[in-house]
Amino acid sequence: MSSSDRLKGASPTRRAALALMFGATVAVAGCQVRPLYGTLGTPGGSPALSEKLARIDIDPVETASSRDLDRVGQVLRNELIFGFRRGREAGEPAYRLKILIDRPLNEVGVERLADVPSAYTVTVNATYVLSDIATGRTLETGRAFGTASFDFSSQRFANLRAERDAEDRAAKTVARDIQTRLAGFFATRG
């Protein structure tokens, strides 16, 4: 008995399942897997993704509120510079990245008897715009955020240090998110 004879004798449900499996196999066969940060150049001789990321010039981070967030903005900018260039010298910049941040602070826990906050959550919100330096045209815009929490105690210095550490963790999360989004943008753009 041949496979076509077996298929003719199969129930309609079985034939539908086999057709679905065949269609899925054909669809998956057309997929490609490429390393996102690999050194392979894209077809046509355009630069590799890591070279494109290294050519992004990052402006000093601006703040949306009256709070002094220069330190948080600098942490974010430094993380992006290292993430894009990996310690290498950058070539002539081809893209400009502008970032605007805000940092709300929320109480997430209150001590029962003292009615004093026992924990806070720091959120770093960032809005970014990637543009082409030569044309000034906007290529990509987006929003990213990072959240970190810290415990509040009766010691003033410990609270300041814990808040600063939480801000740093949140800023690093935002930097990784922006880096991944821009790498995805360049990878799909070719």
Side-chain angles (χ1 to χ4, degrees):
M1 181 183 248
S2 71
S3 61
S4 62
D5 292 337
R6 275 187 259 151
L7 189 56
K8 288 179 186 175
S11 69
T13 306
R14 182 169 169 82
R15 280 191 298 235
L18 288 172
L20 183 63
M21 284 177 33
F22 176 73
T25 303
V26 170
V28 171
C31 294
Q32 287 185 354
V33 177
R34 294 185 297 158
L36 184 60
Y37 294 105
T39 57
L40 301 173
T42 56
S46 63
L49 178 64
S50 59
E51 293 173 21
K52 288 181 182 180
L53 290 174
R55 295 185 67 195
I56 296 176
D57 183 40
I58 305 168
D59 285 353
V61 177
E62 299 176 20
T63 60
S65 67
S66 60
R67 288 189 184 130
D68 184 26
L69 299 176
D70 292 338
R71 192 194 61 77
V72 177
Q74 190 62 42
V75 169
L76 174 61
R77 186 171 185 268
N78 288 345
E79 286 294 315
L80 285 171
I81 289 171
F82 180 76
F84 290 156
R85 298 182 188 154
R86 296 289 175 193
R88 298 183 312 252
E89 286 294 321
E92 184 68 28
Y95 310 100
R96 173 160 286 119
L97 182 64
K98 293 184 179 187
I99 302 172
L100 176 70
I101 63 168
D102 187 22
R103 191 224 58 173
L105 181 67
N106 299 312
E107 299 173 1
V108 293
V110 176
E111 288 186 25
R112 202 176 262 182
L113 300 175
D115 198 27
V116 175
S118 62
Y120 285 92
T121 298
V122 172
T123 303
V124 175
N125 298 311
T127 303
Y128 64 91
V129 177
L130 180 72
S131 59
D132 189 321
I133 290 178
T135 64
R137 186 172 60 101
T138 298
L139 302 174
E140 176 76 358
T141 62
R143 295 177 56 90
F145 73 94
T147 303
S149 61
F150 66 96
D151 291 334
F152 193 78
S153 72
S154 61
Q155 297 178 358
R156 183 176 176 193
F157 179 75
N159 293 331
L160 293 172
R161 188 69 231 180
E163 183 176 354
R164 176 180 278 192
D165 290 345
E167 289 172 342
D168 291 352
R169 291 192 314 268
K172 289 176 182 183
T173 300
V174 170
R176 284 190 303 268
D177 190 17
I178 292 173
Q179 181 181 350
T180 303
R181 288 173 187 235
L182 293 180
F185 167 76
F186 284 121
T188 58
R189 186 172 178 228

